Amino acid sequence: IHVSSDVTHHSIARPGERLSTRGRVASLFDRKGHRFVDYDVLMVAGEGRPVMSVHHTAIYDVRRVAPDAG
């Protein structure tokens, strides 16, 4: 579940350029019973010119809620 994204644009992708992305998990943490991930993604053009970087936060495991006994 998407929580937030911080995007930074470094340069313009040009028509016909080959783009690739590289990503890494920055951290895992729990809050209020949910499991979160922070991960960083870098989009590069050609041989490695940075185009855009994004820091994402997402919930990858939602806390379990006990069924109502009523």
Side-chain angles (χ1 to χ4, degrees):
I1 300 170
H2 179 264
V3 174
S4 68
S5 295
D6 294 316
V7 179
T8 302
H9 297 279
H10 303 286
S11 62
I12 295 173
R14 297 179 188 100
E17 266 188 315
R18 183 175 299 262
L19 301 174
S20 62
T21 56
R22 303 165 186 174
R24 71 176 184 91
V25 173
S27 65
L28 300 171
F29 59 96
D30 295 339
R31 184 178 298 150
K32 297 183 180 179
H34 302 302
R35 291 185 176 171
F36 288 77
V37 60
D38 282 332
Y39 60 99
D40 298 317
V41 177
L42 176 65
M43 179 184 289
V44 296
E47 297 300 315
R49 179 175 50 83
V51 173
M52 178 179 69
S53 57
V54 184
H55 178 81
H56 290 287
T57 301
I59 298 172
Y60 70 91
D61 189 19
V62 178
R63 75 174 166 260
R64 305 293 187 252
V65 177
D68 187 9

